[in-house]
Amino acid sequence: MGELNKLTISEARDRLRSKEISSVELTNSCLAEIDAADPLGAFVHKTPELALAQAENADERLSQGNAPDMCGIPLGIKDLFCTKGVESQAASRILEGFKPEYESTVSQNLLDNGTVMLGKLNMDEFAMGSSNETSVYGDVINPWKIDERNLTPGGSSGGSAAAVAADLCLAATGTDTGGSIRQPAAFTGIVGIKPTYGRCSRWGVIAFASSLDQAGPMTKTVRDGAIMLEAMAGHDPKDSTSVSLPVPNFEAMLTGNIKGKRIGIPKEYRLEGMPSEIEKLWSDGTEMLRLAGAKIEDVSLPHTKYALPAYYVIAPAEASSNLARYDGVRYGRRAALSSGDGINEMYERTRAEGFGSEVKRRVMIGTYVLSAGFYDAYYNRARRVRALIKEDFDKVFSTGIDAILTPTTPSAAFGLGEMSDADPVQMYLNDVFTVTVNLAGLPGVSVPTGFDKSGLPLGLQVIGRPWEEADMLNIAYSLEQSADFSAKPSKWW
Amino acid sequence: MSIDANTAAKVAKLARIEVENQDLTALAKEFNDILGFIEQLNEVDVSGVEPMTSVTPQKLIRRSDNITDGDRQASVLKNAPLSREGFYAVPKVVE
C-alpha cells in the first residue's frame, strides 16, 4: 500500500470512499515523509498529534457516508494562515511564539470539509519575497536539483510549493499578492491557483497588501486545484471584500473541451531579451490550445510595463499600514529595553529586531510614498495606473476573449543566494508576468507544461475573466492534458 | 528625486524602525534604487483617471451596528508580551 503520500487529492478521495485506504494511513504516510524531509526546510511547525486526531475524525465521517470530497485529505498550511493554538508567525521573528486564539476562515472552511492539517509551511517573511530567502526559519530548498547547487522553490509560498512537489502532503494552501502562488508553482512543477479577488476570505490571513492578497490552492493537478478551491472559497461576513456569489462545482466543469474558446496572447508580455526557452514554452502552449480547438488571437495590454512599478508603490503602502500593528504590545515579540527607555524606544527597537531587512525596506518605502507631500505623486498616481491596467483587461475581455495565455515566470528556478548581490528591483522582476493579475483582481493559474534546457520545470499562466475560475481551470485542464507533464524531482533529501 | 541620509532617518522614524546612523547612507541608496524604478509611472498619462479604490465593482458591505462578539479578555491578552491586571502593559507613557 506504500507511498500513499504520492496520491493526488482526487485519487485519495476515491480510495478513501472505496475504503481501500483510511485517512489515518494516508496521514501517517505523509508524516513519515515530512520527518524525512527536514533538509528541504518546508515544514516549520509540525502538528502530528493534531493531524492524527483529525484523520480519525475524518475516517469516522467517511464511514457514515456522504462526506465532502476533501474529507480525510492531509494538507500543509502556509504559515501566513492563523491556525488556532498552532504557531502562526508569517515566517517573522516579530511574531515569535504567537499562537492565535482563532482560526482563519479559509483554514476553517477546509477543516469543516474534513481536511487534516499536517503542519505549517515556510514562506518569505510576511509573504514579501520571490525566493523564500527572507524567512526567519531559513531558506526552503527546491526538491528539483540539477547540479550541486540548492535552488530556490520560489516565493513567497515556497514551503507550500516544495512540500507539494516533494509529495510531503497531497496539497497545500498558498497566498498570492504579486505572484506568490503561481511563481513557486512554476518553479516546482505543480499547479497553483490565484482566485478572483474576493473569492476566498482574507479573514485570519496575516495581511500584507489587503487590496491584492488572495489565498488559493497549490496542488499536483488542475483537478485537485478545482476540488480544493471549492472547499476554500465562499462568502464570509468577516471580510468585507469577500464577495457574496455562489461557489460553483469547479471540478464538474473540467470537461477538457475548449472548442471555440478565444485565447488572447498579449504582445506586451514578449519581453526584450526573454530566454528562447520561455518563448518556446509559450508558443508550444499556444499550439496545444489551438490543436484542442481554441481560437488564438493577438491582444494588447498596453500598460503592462507599468504594473511592477505601480505594484511597488501600492503593496508597500498597504504593508506599511498593515504592519503598523506589530508594536510589541498585543502579540509577538517585544525587544528587551534598557532602563529609562520609553514607549517609542520600545516600538522602534521591537520593529528593528523583529522585522527582516526586506520587510523593513518595504515598510519604509510604503511610509515614504504615503507621507505628506508624496502621497499624490506616488500613491495616488500608482492607483490611477492600476485603474488603467484593469481597464486594459476589461477591454480585452469585452471583445469576447475567454482567457489569456502567458508564461508564469521569465526563467526557471535560480540558485539560492544567486540574487543576494543584485539590487532589490532585480528580484522584483520575477513577478513581471503575474503581478498584473493581482492589480486587476483577476483569477490566474500556473500549469507546468515544460522544462528549460537544464531540465527544470517551467509553467504557463492562464488568466481568466473575473469570477470565471471554472472556465479558466477547464482551459488549464486542457493544457495539462496536452502537455502531459508528469515528471517528479528525484529524491535526494 | 533623491533621498539623502537625513530623509532616510526621517522615514525610519515615521515607520518606528530603529536604524543605526552608520546604516543610513546604504538605506538611502536602496530607497533611491526603488524610487528610480517607480519613477517610470510619470510616463503614463493619467489625466481624467480616478485612483482605484476597489478592484471589484461592489460597494463595501456594511453590517448592522450591533455587538456580535466580546467578553474575551483572557483570549485577547493571551499573546501579549506583558500584561497586568487585565491590561496590556507598556513602559510609562505619561510623566
Side-chain angles (χ1 to χ4, degrees):
Chain A
M1 182 106 58
E3 310 211 304
L4 295 180
N5 56 298
K6 292 190 174 170
L7 294 176
T8 63
I9 292 174
S10 64
E11 289 165 351
R13 169 190 61 187
D14 299 345
R15 293 212 209 169
L16 285 165
R17 257 160 203 63
S18 67
K19 307 283 184 294
E20 202 181 319
I21 60 170
S22 71
S23 176
V24 169
E25 287 166 342
L26 189 57
T27 300
N28 273 322
S29 168
C30 291
L31 290 171
E33 287 302 310
I34 291 168
D35 276 334
D38 286 341
L40 295 176
F43 274 88
V44 288
H45 300 289
K46 302 174 188 175
T47 54
E49 291 90 5
L50 185 65
L52 286 169
Q54 289 170 341
E56 280 170 25
N57 286 338
D59 281 332
E60 173 64 30
R61 199 167 161 187
L62 282 158
S63 71
Q64 289 161 8
N66 211 19
D69 283 350
M70 290 291 288
C71 189
I73 303 294
L75 302 176
I77 304 293
K78 188 178 182 181
D79 201 37
L80 203 64
F81 291 81
C82 285
T83 47
K84 192 173 182 180
V86 176
E87 285 87 344
S88 306
Q89 270 183 250
S92 181
R93 192 178 184 205
I94 211 161
L95 275 172
E96 207 171 77
F98 177 55
K99 290 185 181 177
E101 290 286 292
Y102 48 84
E103 186 81 25
S104 82
T105 297
V106 161
S107 54
Q108 186 64 51
N109 287 348
L110 289 168
L111 291 175
D112 292 346
N113 275 275
T115 63
V116 170
M117 179 172 86
L118 297 163
K120 302 299 283 288
L121 291 163
N122 207 344
M123 53 181 281
D124 278 297
E125 185 181 7
F126 283 107
M128 298 179 192
S130 305
S131 63
N132 219 116
E133 292 174 291
T134 70
S135 165
V136 72
Y137 308 118
D139 299 348
V140 178
I141 300 174
N142 194 328
W144 289 86
K145 211 171 166 73
I146 41 161
D147 48 32
E148 73 291 345
R149 291 176 305 152
N150 285 327
L151 302 175
T152 176
S156 69
S157 309
S160 304
V164 174
D167 288 319
L168 309 185
C169 48
L170 273 64
T173 60
T175 63
D176 191 314
T177 304
S180 283
I181 286 176
R182 291 159 287 157
Q183 182 253 20
F187 277 11
T188 55
I190 66 166
V191 174
I193 304 171
K194 184 217 112 54
T196 313
Y197 182 81
R199 180 64 91 181
C200 289
S201 169
R202 291 180 297 106
W203 195 81
V205 182
I206 296 171
F208 162 14
S210 304
S211 79
L212 301 160
D213 296 344
Q214 196 49 206
M218 301 180 71
T219 56
K220 299 174 191 178
T221 65
V222 173
R223 179 174 300 279
D224 283 9
I227 298 169
M228 185 163 161
L229 178 59
E230 188 184 344
M232 293 170 72
H235 178 240
D236 176 14
K238 288 188 285 195
D239 172 4
S240 61
T241 62
S242 122
V243 169
S244 180
L245 281 177
V247 180
N249 180 340
F250 296 115
E251 189 190 8
M253 304 184 59
L254 300 181
T255 59
N257 179 1
I258 60 161
K259 279 200 181 63
K261 289 286 171 195
R262 293 174 60 190
I263 308 293
I265 307 294
K267 64 172 189 227
E268 290 81 4
Y269 282 59
R270 213 166 289 284
L271 299 182
E272 215 176 296
M274 187 153 87
S276 59
E277 50 208 22
I278 301 289
E279 290 255 19
K280 181 169 187 312
L281 179 89
W282 195 10
S283 57
D284 287 351
T286 307
E287 202 47 38
M288 289 174 203
L289 293 179
R290 191 198 311 275
L291 285 173
K295 289 185 199 149
I296 308 297
E297 298 177 35
D298 288 327
V299 297
S300 176
L301 300 163
H303 294 90
T304 298
K305 179 182 168 199
Y306 302 105
L308 265 181
Y311 177 84
Y312 277 96
V313 174
I314 292 166
E318 294 186 23
S320 76
S321 166
N322 272 325
L323 272 60
R325 74 191 68 186
Y326 305 106
D327 55 6
V329 176
R330 287 159 295 170
Y331 26 68
R333 186 179 177 283
R334 178 185 292 187
L337 300 178
S338 318
S339 71
D341 280 346
I343 195 151
N344 276 318
E345 285 82 4
M346 183 195 77
Y347 293 149
E348 292 181 1
R349 202 156 309 146
T350 293
R351 290 162 66 79
E353 289 179 12
F355 291 145
S357 57
E358 181 62 24
V359 172
K360 284 187 216 176
R361 183 155 47 231
R362 295 203 200 183
V363 166
M364 287 192 273
I365 285 287
T367 303
Y368 182 75
V369 299
L370 290 176
S371 64
F374 299 106
Y375 189 93
D376 215 47
Y378 286 113
Y379 184 59
N380 272 341
R381 175 166 280 268
R383 290 196 300 148
R384 288 189 167 94
V385 172
R386 183 178 180 185
L388 291 171
I389 289 166
K390 180 172 186 295
E391 203 180 284
D392 285 353
F393 281 102
D394 289 347
K395 281 183 186 158
V396 165
F397 287 132
S398 75
T399 66
I401 292 288
D402 293 293
I404 294 166
L405 184 75
T406 77
T408 307
T409 58
S411 74
F414 46 91
L416 287 162
E418 279 175 16
M419 299 281 273
S420 58
D421 294 330
D423 76 67
V425 172
Q426 288 306 310
M427 188 66 102
Y428 299 167
L429 293 175
N430 265 290
D431 293 335
V432 65
F433 298 134
T434 47
V435 75
T436 49
V437 173
N438 300 77
L439 289 169
L442 300 170
V445 53
S446 179
V447 189
T449 58
F451 299 91
D452 77 347
K453 56 181 178 295
S454 64
L456 288 173
L458 293 170
L460 285 174
Q461 171 176 242
V462 182
I463 303 170
R465 294 160 162 267
W467 311 113
E468 295 190 16
E469 287 93 345
D471 204 35
M472 170 188 86
L473 291 174
N474 191 36
I475 293 163
Y477 180 60
S478 165
L479 202 56
E480 180 185 50
Q481 287 183 317
S482 307
D484 196 23
F485 182 100
S486 56
K488 287 274 188 184
S490 39
K491 197 166 169 179
W492 53 265
W493 56 90
Chain B
M1 175 60 54
S2 181
I3 291 188
D4 57 15
N6 280 336
T7 313
K10 211 174 108 192
V11 173
K13 188 84 194 164
L14 280 172
R16 297 288 183 274
I17 296 175
E18 191 175 71
V19 178
E20 302 289 339
N21 276 329
Q22 76 233 26
D23 298 332
L24 286 171
T25 311
L27 186 64
K29 186 191 172 301
E30 287 179 359
F31 287 171
N32 284 320
D33 285 347
I34 296 169
L35 291 172
F37 179 62
I38 292 168
E39 293 295 322
Q40 293 176 66
L41 294 177
N42 292 328
E43 299 165 13
V44 187
D45 179 7
V46 292
S47 50
V49 182
E50 284 299 307
M52 184 188 281
T53 50
S54 170
V55 74
T56 40
Q58 72 168 0
K59 277 214 172 101
L60 202 60
I61 300 161
R62 296 197 170 101
R63 64 168 174 84
S64 51
D65 187 15
N66 300 320
I67 298 169
T68 56
D69 202 350
D71 237 353
R72 294 174 185 255
Q73 193 185 42
S75 258
V76 168
L77 290 174
K78 185 91 180 277
N79 280 289
L82 195 63
S83 64
R84 225 174 276 160
E85 295 164 45
F87 293 93
Y88 295 117
V90 295
K92 197 160 133 185
V93 178
V94 184
E95 289 302 319

mmCIF file of all heavy atoms in Angstrom, chain A residues 110-135:
data_model
loop_
_atom_site.group_PDB
_atom_site.id
_atom_site.type_symbol
_atom_site.label_atom_id
_atom_site.label_comp_id
_atom_site.label_asym_id
_atom_site.label_seq_id
_atom_site.Cartn_x
_atom_site.Cartn_y
_atom_site.Cartn_z
ATOM 1 N N LEU A 110 -11.641 24.589 5.294
ATOM 2 C CA LEU A 110 -11.006 23.303 4.977
ATOM 3 C C LEU A 110 -11.269 22.293 6.084
ATOM 4 O O LEU A 110 -11.609 21.134 5.817
ATOM 5 C CB LEU A 110 -9.505 23.494 4.740
ATOM 6 C CG LEU A 110 -9.136 24.217 3.437
ATOM 7 C CD1 LEU A 110 -7.663 24.621 3.425
ATOM 8 C CD2 LEU A 110 -9.444 23.334 2.219
ATOM 9 N N LEU A 111 -11.140 22.734 7.341
ATOM 10 C CA LEU A 111 -11.395 21.821 8.463
ATOM 11 C C LEU A 111 -12.842 21.346 8.449
ATOM 12 O O LEU A 111 -13.123 20.175 8.707
ATOM 13 C CB LEU A 111 -11.079 22.513 9.801
ATOM 14 C CG LEU A 111 -9.601 22.799 10.078
ATOM 15 C CD1 LEU A 111 -9.440 23.595 11.367
ATOM 16 C CD2 LEU A 111 -8.792 21.509 10.164
ATOM 17 N N ASP A 112 -13.761 22.280 8.136
ATOM 18 C CA ASP A 112 -15.183 21.894 8.069
ATOM 19 C C ASP A 112 -15.412 20.833 6.984
ATOM 20 O O ASP A 112 -16.344 20.038 7.067
ATOM 21 C CB ASP A 112 -16.067 23.113 7.787
ATOM 22 C CG ASP A 112 -16.087 24.097 8.958
ATOM 23 O OD1 ASP A 112 -15.647 23.710 10.062
ATOM 24 O OD2 ASP A 112 -16.523 25.250 8.763
ATOM 25 N N ASN A 113 -14.556 20.850 5.971
ATOM 26 C CA ASN A 113 -14.647 19.841 4.915
ATOM 27 C C ASN A 113 -13.936 18.541 5.292
ATOM 28 O O ASN A 113 -13.831 17.631 4.469
ATOM 29 C CB ASN A 113 -14.048 20.386 3.614
ATOM 30 C CG ASN A 113 -15.058 21.201 2.817
ATOM 31 O OD1 ASN A 113 -15.839 20.660 2.051
ATOM 32 N ND2 ASN A 113 -15.084 22.500 3.038
ATOM 33 N N GLY A 114 -13.374 18.507 6.509
ATOM 34 C CA GLY A 114 -12.782 17.267 6.987
ATOM 35 C C GLY A 114 -11.309 17.078 6.656
ATOM 36 O O GLY A 114 -10.777 15.978 6.787
ATOM 37 N N THR A 115 -10.620 18.158 6.246
ATOM 38 C CA THR A 115 -9.200 18.001 5.912
ATOM 39 C C THR A 115 -8.359 17.823 7.175
ATOM 40 O O THR A 115 -8.798 18.113 8.281
ATOM 41 C CB THR A 115 -8.661 19.215 5.139
ATOM 42 O OG1 THR A 115 -8.765 20.366 5.979
ATOM 43 C CG2 THR A 115 -9.433 19.442 3.855
ATOM 44 N N VAL A 116 -7.147 17.375 6.956
ATOM 45 C CA VAL A 116 -6.192 17.107 8.030
ATOM 46 C C VAL A 116 -5.041 18.102 7.886
ATOM 47 O O VAL A 116 -4.497 18.256 6.791
ATOM 48 C CB VAL A 116 -5.659 15.660 7.878
ATOM 49 C CG1 VAL A 116 -4.496 15.398 8.818
ATOM 50 C CG2 VAL A 116 -6.792 14.661 8.089
ATOM 51 N N MET A 117 -4.673 18.799 8.979
ATOM 52 C CA MET A 117 -3.529 19.714 8.899
ATOM 53 C C MET A 117 -2.272 19.031 9.418
ATOM 54 O O MET A 117 -2.180 18.666 10.585
ATOM 55 C CB MET A 117 -3.773 20.996 9.695
ATOM 56 C CG MET A 117 -2.576 21.933 9.623
ATOM 57 S SD MET A 117 -2.830 23.571 10.331
ATOM 58 C CE MET A 117 -2.440 23.245 12.039
ATOM 59 N N LEU A 118 -1.286 18.889 8.519
ATOM 60 C CA LEU A 118 -0.029 18.218 8.879
ATOM 61 C C LEU A 118 0.935 19.164 9.586
ATOM 62 O O LEU A 118 1.813 18.722 10.328
ATOM 63 C CB LEU A 118 0.649 17.688 7.613
ATOM 64 C CG LEU A 118 -0.135 16.624 6.845
ATOM 65 C CD1 LEU A 118 0.404 16.488 5.433
ATOM 66 C CD2 LEU A 118 -0.068 15.283 7.570
ATOM 67 N N GLY A 119 0.786 20.458 9.343
ATOM 68 C CA GLY A 119 1.686 21.423 9.956
ATOM 69 C C GLY A 119 1.706 22.702 9.160
ATOM 70 O O GLY A 119 0.949 22.865 8.196
ATOM 71 N N LYS A 120 2.599 23.618 9.587
ATOM 72 C CA LYS A 120 2.698 24.918 8.952
ATOM 73 C C LYS A 120 3.919 24.965 8.034
ATOM 74 O O LYS A 120 4.955 24.366 8.327
ATOM 75 C CB LYS A 120 2.804 26.018 10.030
ATOM 76 C CG LYS A 120 1.638 26.040 10.988
ATOM 77 C CD LYS A 120 0.304 26.302 10.326
ATOM 78 C CE LYS A 120 0.078 27.751 9.967
ATOM 79 N NZ LYS A 120 -0.166 28.623 11.127
ATOM 80 N N LEU A 121 3.756 25.717 6.945
ATOM 81 C CA LEU A 121 4.772 25.723 5.895
ATOM 82 C C LEU A 121 5.531 27.036 5.807
ATOM 83 O O LEU A 121 4.960 28.115 5.961
ATOM 84 C CB LEU A 121 4.094 25.430 4.552
ATOM 85 C CG LEU A 121 3.573 23.992 4.415
ATOM 86 C CD1 LEU A 121 2.578 23.889 3.283
ATOM 87 C CD2 LEU A 121 4.733 23.026 4.217
ATOM 88 N N ASN A 122 6.810 26.892 5.540
ATOM 89 C CA ASN A 122 7.735 28.009 5.403
ATOM 90 C C ASN A 122 7.323 28.934 4.259
ATOM 91 O O ASN A 122 6.596 28.533 3.338
ATOM 92 C CB ASN A 122 9.134 27.448 5.143
ATOM 93 C CG ASN A 122 10.238 28.381 5.605
ATOM 94 O OD1 ASN A 122 10.016 29.560 5.852
ATOM 95 N ND2 ASN A 122 11.437 27.832 5.705
ATOM 96 N N MET A 123 7.812 30.149 4.294
ATOM 97 C CA MET A 123 7.446 31.180 3.318
ATOM 98 C C MET A 123 8.410 32.343 3.463
ATOM 99 O O MET A 123 9.206 32.379 4.386
ATOM 100 C CB MET A 123 6.028 31.669 3.622
ATOM 101 C CG MET A 123 5.863 32.124 5.087
ATOM 102 S SD MET A 123 4.195 32.690 5.484
ATOM 103 C CE MET A 123 4.271 34.329 4.792
ATOM 104 N N ASP A 124 8.336 33.304 2.551
ATOM 105 C CA ASP A 124 9.071 34.545 2.754
ATOM 106 C C ASP A 124 8.395 35.345 3.857
ATOM 107 O O ASP A 124 7.174 35.325 4.003
ATOM 108 C CB ASP A 124 9.077 35.376 1.460
ATOM 109 C CG ASP A 124 10.150 34.928 0.492
ATOM 110 O OD1 ASP A 124 11.343 35.027 0.853
ATOM 111 O OD2 ASP A 124 9.804 34.486 -0.620
ATOM 112 N N GLU A 125 9.196 36.066 4.635
ATOM 113 C CA GLU A 125 8.662 36.833 5.758
ATOM 114 C C GLU A 125 7.531 37.757 5.316
ATOM 115 O O GLU A 125 7.715 38.557 4.399
ATOM 116 C CB GLU A 125 9.785 37.646 6.420
ATOM 117 C CG GLU A 125 9.303 38.370 7.662
ATOM 118 C CD GLU A 125 10.388 39.208 8.338
ATOM 119 O OE1 GLU A 125 11.495 39.343 7.794
ATOM 120 O OE2 GLU A 125 10.098 39.744 9.434
ATOM 121 N N PHE A 126 6.386 37.621 5.964
ATOM 122 C CA PHE A 126 5.182 38.408 5.630
ATOM 123 C C PHE A 126 4.845 38.330 4.137
ATOM 124 O O PHE A 126 4.251 39.242 3.580
ATOM 125 C CB PHE A 126 5.306 39.867 6.088
ATOM 126 C CG PHE A 126 5.095 40.036 7.570
ATOM 127 C CD1 PHE A 126 6.165 40.304 8.413
ATOM 128 C CD2 PHE A 126 3.832 39.882 8.117
ATOM 129 C CE1 PHE A 126 5.973 40.427 9.788
ATOM 130 C CE2 PHE A 126 3.632 40.007 9.501
ATOM 131 C CZ PHE A 126 4.702 40.284 10.329
ATOM 132 N N ALA A 127 5.237 37.237 3.503
ATOM 133 C CA ALA A 127 4.935 36.987 2.080
ATOM 134 C C ALA A 127 5.658 37.961 1.154
ATOM 135 O O ALA A 127 5.266 38.148 0.006
ATOM 136 C CB ALA A 127 3.420 37.003 1.816
ATOM 137 N N MET A 128 6.726 38.600 1.672
ATOM 138 C CA MET A 128 7.474 39.555 0.858
ATOM 139 C C MET A 128 8.753 38.912 0.334
ATOM 140 O O MET A 128 9.765 38.866 1.036
ATOM 141 C CB MET A 128 7.826 40.791 1.687
ATOM 142 C CG MET A 128 6.597 41.523 2.179
ATOM 143 S SD MET A 128 7.071 42.944 3.168
ATOM 144 C CE MET A 128 5.481 43.373 3.879
ATOM 145 N N GLY A 129 8.681 38.421 -0.892
ATOM 146 C CA GLY A 129 9.869 37.819 -1.473
ATOM 147 C C GLY A 129 9.479 36.883 -2.584
ATOM 148 O O GLY A 129 8.304 36.485 -2.710
ATOM 149 N N SER A 130 10.453 36.547 -3.429
ATOM 150 C CA SER A 130 10.198 35.672 -4.577
ATOM 151 C C SER A 130 11.135 34.477 -4.572
ATOM 152 O O SER A 130 11.289 33.806 -5.575
ATOM 153 C CB SER A 130 10.377 36.458 -5.878
ATOM 154 O OG SER A 130 9.554 37.601 -5.875
ATOM 155 N N SER A 131 11.790 34.215 -3.440
ATOM 156 C CA SER A 131 12.777 33.138 -3.422
ATOM 157 C C SER A 131 12.798 32.369 -2.106
ATOM 158 O O SER A 131 13.600 31.465 -1.928
ATOM 159 C CB SER A 131 14.170 33.717 -3.676
ATOM 160 O OG SER A 131 14.503 34.605 -2.621
ATOM 161 N N ASN A 132 11.924 32.721 -1.188
ATOM 162 C CA ASN A 132 11.887 32.108 0.138
ATOM 163 C C ASN A 132 13.218 32.221 0.881
ATOM 164 O O ASN A 132 13.632 31.335 1.624
ATOM 165 C CB ASN A 132 11.451 30.638 0.064
ATOM 166 C CG ASN A 132 10.537 30.268 1.230
ATOM 167 O OD1 ASN A 132 9.376 29.931 1.044
ATOM 168 N ND2 ASN A 132 11.043 30.370 2.445
ATOM 169 N N GLU A 133 13.890 33.361 0.647
ATOM 170 C CA GLU A 133 15.159 33.589 1.348
ATOM 171 C C GLU A 133 15.020 34.632 2.460
ATOM 172 O O GLU A 133 16.016 35.006 3.070
ATOM 173 C CB GLU A 133 16.228 34.048 0.346
ATOM 174 C CG GLU A 133 16.616 32.953 -0.639
ATOM 175 C CD GLU A 133 17.562 33.464 -1.724
ATOM 176 O OE1 GLU A 133 17.110 34.263 -2.574
ATOM 177 O OE2 GLU A 133 18.730 33.079 -1.714
ATOM 178 N N THR A 134 13.806 35.141 2.693
ATOM 179 C CA THR A 134 13.650 36.168 3.730
ATOM 180 C C THR A 134 12.999 35.613 4.994
ATOM 181 O O THR A 134 12.617 36.364 5.889
ATOM 182 C CB THR A 134 12.819 37.376 3.217
ATOM 183 O OG1 THR A 134 11.443 36.976 3.050
ATOM 184 C CG2 THR A 134 13.343 37.909 1.890
ATOM 185 N N SER A 135 12.880 34.297 5.084
ATOM 186 C CA SER A 135 12.189 33.675 6.220
ATOM 187 C C SER A 135 13.069 33.610 7.458
ATOM 188 O O SER A 135 14.259 33.322 7.370
ATOM 189 C CB SER A 135 11.783 32.251 5.832
ATOM 190 O OG SER A 135 11.435 31.515 6.981
#
